[in-house]
Amino acid sequence: MNTPKAARGLFVVPLLAFASAQADVVTDWNQKASEITVAHQAGPWGQAPMVLIQVAVFESVNAITRRYPQAGYLKLEAPGASIEAAVAAVNRAVLARMATTQAAAIEAAYQAALAAVPEGQAKADGIALGEKAAAGILAMRAPTGAAPLYYRPVANPGNYVPTVVPANADLPPARCWVLDRVDQFRPGPPPDLKSAVWARDYNEVKTLGARAGSLRSPEQTEIARFWAATTPTIYYPIARSVANQAGRDVTQNARLLAVSGQAMVDAIDAVFDAKYKYHFWRPFTAIRNGDQDSNDATERDAGWLPFIETPMHPEYPCAHCTIAASLGAVLKAEIGAGATPRLSTTSPTLPGVTRSWASVDAFTQEVINARIYDGVHYRNSGEVGNALGAKVGEVAAAKLLR
């Protein structure tokens, strides 16, 4: 059941090995904002503040450079304004609104950034532009007033079920960035429990994803620990691997990070739409009830535990796999047919380690494998999530990377 090494991803390198001299104000602030958002603990994914920041940053930078004259939600123009001041103002405005516990860190980062900008009209215009762009994007994404969607526990009348509201279950109606509607690419149902696919997936995760007695290799265990993270700090560095390449300009990078954020947020909404449509059981539940699925090839293990704590939401499809594939599709569209720069990122759940990949496909395949090694997903769920995310990312790229 071991996955061939060629399909796994790939290198472990020192933490700073891929620091790039090409980093600019947009990518620098992306890293700062990611860290502030994580410190604020903005939900299990923390992507909502980041996409607002990145779209407003692009609006601001493009208003100054006019690199993409047909692009933009707000149609701003501010030639001569300071890009550095505008980007700092956007980040401050959005983070102050959405990461309220980090007010001191936000203000310190903002003041430090402004101190490096010469005083004058360009600085004042940049601050005003950034604040206007942030206000415009926040207003555009304000709640519509429609009734929120509340989770309804699945239960037989009178029977106890756990009373914690699962992640991403109580939500306002989803408003997509690039999709026409949240269920635009909703996949079909998970495998029938009597199928050979179900037996294959059940036995693979039972073997490779167990907390005790697993057949994981040391590298597979490292991959499992690495991808236990669910924060924007694990995905945005992969986008920055492309943004920090030589020859790119600040508006290109602002656009890339904005489109990446939009694709990932729509991917999250799309995958949770499917999760709560199908309510498919996690390996923890399935393996402890392996005698009840009417499949002779799935043997019960009454005390089986996954390697990591199981996320509190339904299994199908894999959310990590969907998000990774949406980002991957955007990066493929941005890179084109040329050589792929080495992609890399770090993880708060495995400090001190950087993982890297020579291709987008190697990165997304590792995410599928990782969630099996974690003991929280099945291979089919990862493959379906990968296909779903790729469709979302392709739509984002087609609409916005023009």
Side-chain angles (χ1 to χ4, degrees):
M1 304 292 282
N2 284 325
T3 305
K5 188 169 184 179
R8 301 202 301 260
L10 290 167
F11 305 97
V12 179
V13 296
L15 185 61
L16 298 179
F18 292 97
S20 171
Q22 295 296 317
D24 57 33
V25 64
V26 168
T27 56
D28 284 347
W29 265 107
N30 174 264
Q31 181 175 346
K32 293 174 191 174
S34 294
E35 292 167 354
I36 288 170
T37 300
V38 170
H40 178 62
Q41 298 181 332
W45 297 102
Q47 295 282 9
M50 292 301 301
V51 69
L52 294 169
I53 290 168
Q54 298 311 147
V55 173
V57 162
F58 173 64
E59 294 290 325
S60 298
V61 174
N62 197 55
I64 298 168
T65 67
R66 304 313 298 164
R67 174 84 154 76
Y68 302 100
Q70 302 302 316
Y73 293 100
L74 305 178
K75 307 302 182 185
L76 302 172
E77 289 192 35
S82 164
I83 290 174
E84 290 77 10
V87 173
V90 165
N91 278 270
R92 180 201 195 197
V94 178
L95 288 170
R97 174 90 167 262
M98 304 196 73
T100 53
T101 63
Q102 301 301 305
I106 295 165
E107 192 63 21
Y110 175 69
Q111 293 299 336
L114 287 190
V117 181
E119 295 297 331
Q121 193 62 47
K123 180 176 183 177
D125 289 349
I127 293 170
L129 172 65
E131 291 176 348
K132 184 175 182 180
I137 295 301
L138 287 167
M140 188 185 77
R141 301 298 294 181
T144 62
L149 304 175
Y150 291 114
Y151 174 70
R152 183 169 183 168
V154 179
N156 294 320
N159 284 355
Y160 169 79
V161 297
T163 54
V164 175
V165 177
N168 284 46
D170 285 354
L171 291 173
R175 296 198 305 151
C176 301
W177 285 95
V178 298
L179 297 180
D180 296 329
R181 61 183 192 279
V182 72
D183 62 350
Q184 182 174 341
F185 298 119
R186 182 190 285 170
D192 186 277
L193 298 183
K194 296 180 183 179
S195 69
V197 170
W198 168 245
R200 177 203 70 180
D201 288 355
Y202 175 105
N203 287 305
E204 181 181 31
V205 71
K206 182 181 177 184
T207 301
L208 293 179
R211 188 172 302 180
S214 170
L215 297 183
R216 283 186 310 275
S217 69
E219 184 190 18
Q220 289 169 337
T221 297
E222 179 177 274
I223 291 169
R225 292 188 187 280
F226 191 92
W227 288 103
T230 56
T231 67
T233 53
I234 201 169
Y235 284 110
Y236 275 106
I238 298 171
R240 295 198 300 268
S241 297
V242 173
N244 289 338
Q245 294 302 298
R248 294 180 60 87
D249 65 55
V250 69
T251 321
Q252 276 184 298
N253 289 343
R255 184 183 71 155
L256 174 61
L257 294 177
V259 178
S260 297
Q262 289 173 311
M264 288 190 286
V265 167
D266 275 11
I268 291 171
D269 289 341
V271 75
F272 275 94
D273 164 76
K275 282 177 179 289
Y276 286 107
K277 168 67 176 177
Y278 296 116
H279 283 273
F280 199 57
W281 57 359
R282 291 280 186 172
F284 171 83
T285 310
I287 293 169
R288 289 187 173 214
N289 289 282
D291 56 342
Q292 297 182 20
D293 62 4
S294 301
N295 192 322
D296 292 339
T298 58
E299 184 177 346
R300 180 190 185 215
D301 183 340
W304 190 89
L305 288 170
F307 181 59
I308 68 170
E309 293 299 323
T310 298
M312 191 64 178
H313 51 77
E315 189 274 337
Y316 175 88
C318 164
H320 257 307
C321 309
T322 306
I323 298 165
S326 71
L327 174 60
V330 171
L331 296 182
K332 283 183 176 181
E334 181 78 354
I335 296 165
T340 303
R342 186 167 297 283
L343 308 174
S344 63
T345 189
T346 58
S347 171
T349 54
L350 193 62
V353 170
T354 295
R355 290 196 64 79
S356 70
W357 309 272
S359 70
V360 170
D361 289 342
F363 148 57
T364 57
Q365 184 61 52
E366 175 168 301
V367 176
I368 294 173
N369 293 336
R371 302 309 274 170
I372 297 165
Y373 306 154
D374 282 329
V376 298
H377 278 296
Y378 314 105
R379 183 162 298 280
N380 179 74
S381 180
E383 293 168 348
V384 170
N386 184 280
L388 171 60
K391 291 176 182 176
V392 175
E394 287 163 4
V395 168
K399 287 186 174 181
L400 301 172
L401 290 182
R402 294 180 297 187

